Amino acid sequence: MTCPVSYDESAGLWRVRDPELVRRVFADPERFSPANALTAHTRLGVRALRILSAAGFALPAVLANQTGPRHRSVRRVVARFFTPDRVDALEPVVRRLNAARWAAVRARLARGEEVDLVASVADDVPALVLLELLALDDVDVPELKRWSRDSLDLFWGVPTPEEQERLARSAARYYTWLRQRASAARRSPGADLFGALVRHGLADDEVCSVAYFLLVAGHETTSMLISSALRLLSADPGTRAAVAADATRADQVVDTLLARESSVPTWRRVTREETVLGGTRLPAGAPLLLRLTDTSDTGELAFGWGAHRCLGARLARMETRVAVQDAAAAMPEVEAVEPDPPMIDLLSFRAPQRVRVRLRQDIRHGRGAVPRTRPSTTQEPAA
């Protein structure tokens, strides 16, 4: 039997696998602090730190790495953007964005091309939707995507010193952009995320701390979850057919993904004092790695638990459910090119890097036809 709490010497972390213990940790921030939630997993070298310092880079404790009344007050400000009504109202937008991308995918498949569904379908839709939700305009989405991936690699990967410098330069550019948005909001607070945080009384570095990973995780982890869904569907014609016949089956697919292959399989905490967890004595300052997936059949831990539960949980579920439904309807005759594609495999983030598909062999050889789809006539919303 696997020990529910064990020390991983290679990672320098205490791994907590039992779901009940994970809930207990999340529910007790007085003993198990979120202070290390945004700490770089790999110690950054001097050169990388100098690059960040030159940009004034700082992530003071405000939201994900804070507890108590201050955390709750800022969380309420951010939560206003993620209300059920606001999220549900975006479903037609998601479907329009998906329809345009699937039309392009099917045209390429019909020409006999292989298509990467991560790049063609999963990549930018969550970013466009998040920007719409947060009322942010004039954003270079490809640049935001690059910043987001580099930040995940810098904070949750194992980059070499040379890679750290490249990633730090990207993080510095991203942070500079955030500071510019925060400064602009202070001069003229609008209705967007930055304006709301400024009106709440946050200093510029605190605004940047909230926005830094909110704008990363708010779309990148959903892209990753959708990528995992597309990998499952591309390799499983039975599931595609079941969802195509009954769209409500998509919810079961999402639940299975969240329980077994969530894009955020782990999260971190640190002990404030010496304590006992699951019969194991932990020293003060012990870094914990909480297992959120492979722990239950429901996926209820995939978005965290308690006071720090992910504010974007409903949004991520909705976008992934719609992605599953649209994919099942759009690709009944495809086959996976790579059943085991290369993976993004960071400390707390995991997803396929690509999902390559092509038309089935019998279709390619003329023994079937590609059903025609009605092209989308709806304009995509501006980011």
Side-chain angles (χ1 to χ4, degrees):
M1 181 177 178
T2 302
C3 180
V5 181
S6 61
Y7 186 67
D8 183 337
E9 188 170 355
S10 63
L13 295 158
W14 293 84
R15 294 185 179 270
V16 183
R17 298 176 176 84
D18 181 81
E20 189 52 46
L21 293 181
V22 170
R23 292 187 190 91
R24 192 180 305 172
V25 170
F26 275 131
D28 190 356
E30 296 307 313
R31 283 200 301 160
F32 305 104
S33 167
N36 65 340
L38 307 181
T39 302
H41 170 52
T42 300
R43 184 182 296 274
L44 300 182
V46 172
R47 290 186 178 181
L49 290 172
R50 284 176 177 165
I51 292 168
L52 295 174
S53 178
F57 191 100
L59 297 176
V62 184
L63 189 61
N65 52 354
Q66 177 67 285
T67 59
R70 181 166 172 74
H71 164 260
R72 290 193 294 271
S73 69
V74 175
R75 183 179 172 90
R76 282 194 293 270
V77 173
V78 177
R80 293 173 197 148
F81 290 93
F82 291 88
T83 63
D85 286 347
R86 287 175 62 86
V87 169
D88 294 347
L90 284 171
E91 183 168 330
V93 175
V94 176
R95 292 195 182 277
R96 289 197 297 271
L97 291 168
N98 285 351
R101 283 148 184 78
W102 276 113
V105 166
R106 293 181 64 78
R108 292 179 60 191
L109 291 172
R111 294 194 297 267
E113 297 180 30
E114 293 182 358
V115 180
D116 175 11
L117 298 181
V118 172
S120 301
V121 178
D123 187 53
D124 64 343
V125 171
L128 292 167
V129 172
L130 181 69
L131 294 172
E132 183 93 354
L133 192 72
L134 298 177
L136 294 172
D137 55 13
D138 193 25
V139 178
D140 184 333
V141 173
E143 188 74 79
L144 178 63
K145 294 288 294 185
R146 283 190 290 271
W147 287 335
S148 298
R149 290 165 181 155
D150 288 346
S151 290
L152 292 182
D153 285 343
L154 182 64
F155 282 85
W156 283 275
V158 189
T160 65
E162 293 75 17
E163 290 170 338
Q164 285 185 16
E165 290 182 48
R166 178 185 67 80
L167 297 172
R169 283 191 288 271
S170 173
R173 288 192 295 271
Y174 177 32
Y175 195 84
T176 298
W177 177 80
L178 292 173
R179 289 296 292 254
Q180 292 169 349
R181 298 293 296 235
S183 296
R186 192 164 302 283
R187 291 191 300 271
S188 178
D192 64 12
L193 172 70
F194 292 91
L197 295 173
V198 166
R199 283 194 300 273
H200 190 64
L202 270 61
D204 283 5
D205 62 344
E206 293 173 323
V207 172
C208 292
S209 183
V210 173
Y212 192 96
F213 283 115
L214 180 62
L215 286 179
V216 169
H219 65 90
E220 200 63 38
T221 57
T222 303
S223 290
M224 289 179 175
L225 187 61
I226 292 171
S227 298
S228 294
L230 294 173
R231 177 194 180 194
L232 183 155
L233 292 171
S234 68
D236 188 346
T239 297
R240 293 202 306 267
V243 175
D246 179 3
T248 63
R249 294 285 294 274
D251 288 312
Q252 298 174 21
V253 175
V254 176
D255 285 342
T256 298
L257 284 168
L258 291 173
R260 302 176 187 173
E261 299 181 60
S262 170
S263 53
V264 188
T266 65
W267 205 244
R268 287 179 289 179
R269 287 293 184 268
V270 60
T271 57
R272 292 184 186 270
E273 58 192 27
E274 182 178 300
T275 189
V276 175
L277 181 66
T280 299
R281 184 168 295 279
L282 301 171
L288 308 180
L289 190 67
L290 312 178
R291 189 72 189 178
L292 307 183
T293 57
D294 298 332
T295 58
S296 70
D297 293 328
T298 64
E300 64 182 355
L301 289 176
F303 296 106
W305 186 266
H308 283 82
R309 189 173 191 273
C310 176
L311 287 167
R314 187 183 185 95
L315 179 65
R317 274 186 172 274
M318 180 272 284
E319 291 190 71
T320 307
R321 170 178 54 80
V322 171
V324 168
Q325 292 170 343
D326 291 348
M331 58 175 190
E333 65 292 292
V334 303
E335 60 186 8
V337 176
E338 289 180 296
D340 295 304
M343 301 293 289
I344 299 167
D345 195 5
L346 306 175
L347 180 70
S348 291
F349 303 96
R350 181 173 171 79
Q353 292 181 16
R354 60 182 183 243
V355 176
R356 294 167 58 199
V357 298
R358 63 191 172 203
L359 287 181
R360 288 198 326 260
Q361 186 174 2
D362 57 323
I363 299 291
R364 296 200 308 274
H365 291 171
R367 293 192 292 274
V370 181
R372 292 190 299 174
T373 56
R374 183 178 302 168
S376 173
T377 58
T378 308
Q379 292 278 332
E380 294 183 12

